[in-house]
Amino acid sequence: MIAVMTGAETEDDIPFGERKTVTDFCYLLDKSKQLFNGLRDLPQYGHKQWQSYFGRTFDVYTKLWKFQQQHRPELVVKKLRYYARYIVVCLLLNKMDLVKVLVKELSEEIEDYTQRFNTEDQLEWNLVLQEVASFVEADPVVLLDENSSVTVISYRLQEGCVPPLEQGMVVGQLVLADALIIGNSNSQVKFSELTIDMFRMLQALEREPANIAIQTSKQGILEPSEKPAKRENPHKYLLYKPTFSQLFTFLSASFKELPANSVLLVYLSAAGVYPSVNSEYEGPFDFGGVLTNSNRDIVNGEVIQKRNQSHKEMHCLHPGDLLPFTRKPLFIIVDSTNSNAYKNFTNMFGQPLVCLLSPKVYPKSVQDQSQRGSLFTLFLYSPLLAFFSVCGLSSVRGKLWQSTQEFLHKVDRDIGQMITRSQTIDQAFLQFFGDEFLRLLLIRFVFCSATLRLHKVFREAQSFPESYPELPKQDTVENSILQKHILKMATLLDVQNMFWDNSVEAY
């Protein structure tokens, strides 16, 4: 121990505030070690002989803590970082109520930090606070209870929300094992390395944890037969702005470790890259694709390309780049302005392959909300939330939400039957239909496409989702029964004037 001694004074006689900075810290640290070592030698019973040691120990601890707070701002920074990481964990676990509490506490800690220390990172921490606040408030519609308070609900896969398969229906037995969730959007709300679209797709591929507090008449612990069965979620890779090499590395690793009879899902949320070279032969590398991380300039989320460019974009993920991975079942979701590049896919190995593709363009009123996430991904995450949003509703009462949700369950069941009963649908869709996650994504995709086709604001063909292979429209997205369901939902919400209220011929 290093100490500064003056005259006949002992260490204990030196006032706390008069010690040298380093010397005082070392003294307090050593003193606390001595006291804690003394506590270890005390008997494990009794309490009177402990009191004096406790008092001295925590007095030193309190002084040490005050010393750290006053002389070491990096310790406060560590605390702020802890809050930020804790918030990320709570977001991934969908603990939104806890997130809101932590955001409030983080705001108070940042304010205290900036007032006590003259630091250069004040703007950075304020930006962190702003990002997480925007992330929490990103949902376009809020659910209100009877007291007009905001209610937080989960949009994960819940028991009973997936339409069951019809008895005797033959579908594939594939299981979704791995998912790559890739976000490369500059304009979206994000926190840490998680965009709002990445977060929503992550939640769409998670099951709501089963309630282990099962009511039982027996006392004590549950018997093994009574314990809920463990349900596995697909393994996920979250890649924020990966380079092409990073993306390809993760794809290769996931492909290599994919178990038998399993599916790899690839979700791409990125700006579009358009073809710049006219070629007589149009192959899987001639339609452009989506952007991976690069140093190119980006304006409003779109890539700036030179018209006289004579080579293909090296940072583009083309459909052809994914061809090697079609040797195993592959399920692709592309949310991009050039999503239809993946409509020109080629299934070279005969394995199940499906691509769900977002609209290329949105009406101006929808584009204005793109910072809070894509409408297409919102439909895959929560079709009811997206339906409210596209109808211009910003809040809804709990009872109306519940009644509309119950009606949507019926709609989902009917869509499932439309898919499985179609005589002309590509068998790839049925191969994936046995997995609950993929079944729900396919049903929500059909609901999204049918809703936008009926909505009066969506007039261009480029504003409708597409797929590879193409779905039989009359059996699915333009089915008259489904259209009646959508109009009934609009009537329940009193927004039927926003939809074409006649048959298919009306539009």
Side-chain angles (χ1 to χ4, degrees):
M1 181 183 74
I2 302 176
V4 176
M5 307 296 293
T6 58
E9 291 179 323
T10 65
E11 292 174 336
D12 291 320
D13 295 329
I14 300 176
F16 172 78
E18 296 179 4
R19 301 185 187 277
K20 300 284 186 180
T21 301
V22 176
T23 303
D24 193 36
F25 177 74
C26 295
Y27 165 76
L28 289 171
L29 187 61
D30 187 74
K31 197 71 173 177
S32 63
K33 288 181 180 179
Q34 292 178 16
L35 290 170
F36 276 114
N37 288 334
L39 285 175
R40 290 191 306 177
D41 299 330
L42 289 175
Q44 297 180 1
Y45 50 87
H47 64 278
K48 291 184 178 180
Q49 63 267 42
W50 285 62
Q51 293 178 355
S52 61
Y53 282 92
F54 267 123
R56 292 171 60 190
T57 299
F58 288 104
D59 181 58
V60 172
Y61 175 80
T62 302
K63 292 179 179 180
L64 181 62
W65 173 249
K66 290 181 178 179
F67 175 86
Q68 292 174 335
Q69 293 291 304
Q70 294 172 357
H71 299 282
R72 302 206 167 190
E74 61 269 19
L75 295 176
V76 184
V77 172
K78 288 183 179 180
K79 185 178 181 180
L80 298 181
R81 289 175 179 169
Y82 169 81
Y83 266 101
R85 291 166 183 163
Y86 191 19
I87 289 173
V88 172
V89 172
C90 292
L91 284 173
L92 296 178
L93 295 176
N94 201 35
K95 304 291 185 181
M96 298 305 293
D97 286 330
L98 182 55
V99 168
K100 292 182 178 181
V101 173
L102 293 173
V103 169
K104 182 179 179 181
E105 292 182 5
L106 177 60
S107 176
E108 295 172 353
E109 293 289 341
I110 291 176
E111 183 178 0
D112 179 67
Y113 169 66
T114 55
Q115 288 179 354
R116 289 169 53 195
F117 303 103
N118 184 18
T119 62
E120 299 178 354
D121 57 351
Q122 177 179 352
L123 294 178
E124 295 179 7
W125 281 111
N126 287 334
L127 180 60
V128 169
L129 189 63
Q130 181 182 349
E131 283 186 350
V132 67
S134 300
F135 198 98
V136 172
E137 299 171 357
D139 281 353
V141 181
V142 295
L143 181 62
L144 304 176
D145 60 16
E146 296 179 354
N147 299 321
S148 298
S149 299
V150 177
T151 302
V152 179
I153 61 176
S154 173
Y155 299 105
R156 291 178 169 184
L157 190 151
Q158 300 185 18
E159 191 70 30
C161 74
V162 182
L165 296 173
E166 294 182 85
Q167 188 173 4
M169 174 57 59
V170 179
V171 296
Q173 301 300 312
L174 298 172
V175 176
L176 178 60
D178 274 26
L180 269 71
I181 301 176
I182 301 157
N184 191 20
S185 174
N186 286 327
S187 59
Q188 276 188 10
V189 170
K190 75 171 187 68
F191 180 62
S192 185
E193 293 190 342
L194 189 69
T195 67
I196 190 64
D197 275 356
M198 292 173 66
F199 168 76
R200 287 171 176 166
M201 185 51 57
L202 170 70
Q203 296 299 318
L205 300 178
E206 283 282 321
R207 295 181 187 272
E208 190 67 22
N211 182 13
I212 62 174
I214 300 177
Q215 298 295 328
T216 176
S217 59
K218 299 181 181 180
Q219 299 295 326
I221 62 174
L222 296 175
E223 296 296 329
S225 59
E226 296 174 329
K227 293 181 180 179
K230 184 179 180 180
R231 298 177 298 174
E232 295 292 339
N233 290 312
H235 179 259
K236 304 171 192 68
Y237 298 92
L238 300 177
L239 305 180
Y240 175 67
K241 291 191 174 181
T243 63
F244 177 82
S245 60
Q246 289 172 333
L247 195 158
F248 208 82
T249 299
F250 278 91
L251 270 172
S252 301
S254 183
F255 178 84
K256 178 183 178 181
E257 299 173 359
L258 196 69
N261 299 319
S262 297
V263 181
L264 171 61
L265 183 147
V266 179
Y267 170 81
L268 299 167
S269 172
V273 179
Y274 303 95
S276 57
V277 179
N278 294 324
S279 174
E280 295 181 359
Y281 168 75
E282 291 187 338
F285 292 92
D286 295 318
F287 297 97
V290 299
L291 184 69
T292 59
N293 195 12
S294 69
N295 295 323
R296 298 186 65 89
D297 293 330
I298 299 178
V299 177
N300 296 326
E302 295 302 316
V303 183
I304 300 176
Q305 291 180 314
K306 299 179 180 179
R307 294 187 177 181
N308 60 353
Q309 185 178 2
S310 59
H311 298 90
K312 290 182 174 64
E313 170 58 58
M314 65 177 293
H315 299 288
C316 172
L317 183 72
H318 298 87
D321 294 317
L322 297 178
L323 287 179
F325 306 103
T326 60
R327 289 176 169 85
K328 295 181 180 180
L330 186 62
F331 195 97
I332 304 172
I333 302 174
V334 184
D335 197 335
S336 172
T337 53
N338 193 29
S339 59
N340 68 340
Y342 294 81
K343 186 174 65 174
N344 303 285
F345 230 105
T346 304
N347 191 342
M348 303 178 66
F349 300 99
Q351 293 291 321
L353 171 64
V354 163
C355 302
L356 304 183
L357 312 174
S358 72
K360 286 187 62 179
V361 297
Y362 289 101
K364 186 176 181 181
S365 59
V366 178
Q367 287 179 341
D368 293 340
Q369 304 176 23
S370 60
Q371 185 181 6
R372 303 173 74 175
S374 164
L375 179 65
F376 177 69
T377 296
L378 187 62
F379 265 102
L380 300 181
Y381 165 67
S382 171
L384 191 55
L385 197 67
F387 193 87
F388 276 91
S389 177
V390 82
C391 293
L393 302 176
S394 58
S395 63
V396 59
R397 296 288 176 178
K399 290 184 178 179
L400 181 58
W401 175 277
Q402 185 63 33
S403 61
T404 312
Q405 184 71 67
E406 291 174 357
F407 182 74
L408 183 60
H409 289 329
K410 170 179 170 53
V411 178
D412 287 345
R413 289 195 299 269
D414 287 351
I415 294 176
Q417 293 177 355
M418 293 172 193
I419 293 174
T420 56
R421 294 178 181 179
S422 174
Q423 299 297 315
T424 57
I425 195 169
D426 193 285
Q427 289 298 306
F429 292 101
L430 300 181
Q431 289 294 314
F432 292 121
F433 214 69
D435 181 87
E436 287 190 326
F437 290 108
L438 301 180
R439 187 189 318 162
L440 203 56
L441 288 174
L442 288 170
I443 289 173
R444 290 173 175 177
F445 174 82
V446 172
F447 178 77
C448 170
S449 188
T451 298
L452 300 189
R453 278 174 161 79
L454 274 183
H455 202 286
K456 292 181 179 179
V457 173
F458 293 79
R459 299 178 181 179
E460 301 181 44
Q462 292 183 330
S463 297
F464 303 148
E466 297 187 69
S467 67
Y468 171 87
E470 187 176 359
L471 281 167
K473 290 185 173 58
Q474 294 302 318
D475 293 343
T476 56
V477 297
E478 293 181 358
N479 184 284
S480 59
I481 296 177
L482 178 54
Q483 291 177 347
K484 291 178 181 178
H485 287 333
I486 293 173
L487 292 175
K488 185 174 180 179
M489 283 189 63
T491 302
L492 290 173
L493 302 175
D494 197 25
V495 291
Q496 62 270 28
N497 61 315
M498 302 185 70
F499 295 84
W500 300 106
D501 56 1
N502 293 323
S503 62
V504 178
E505 289 76 15
Y507 62 97

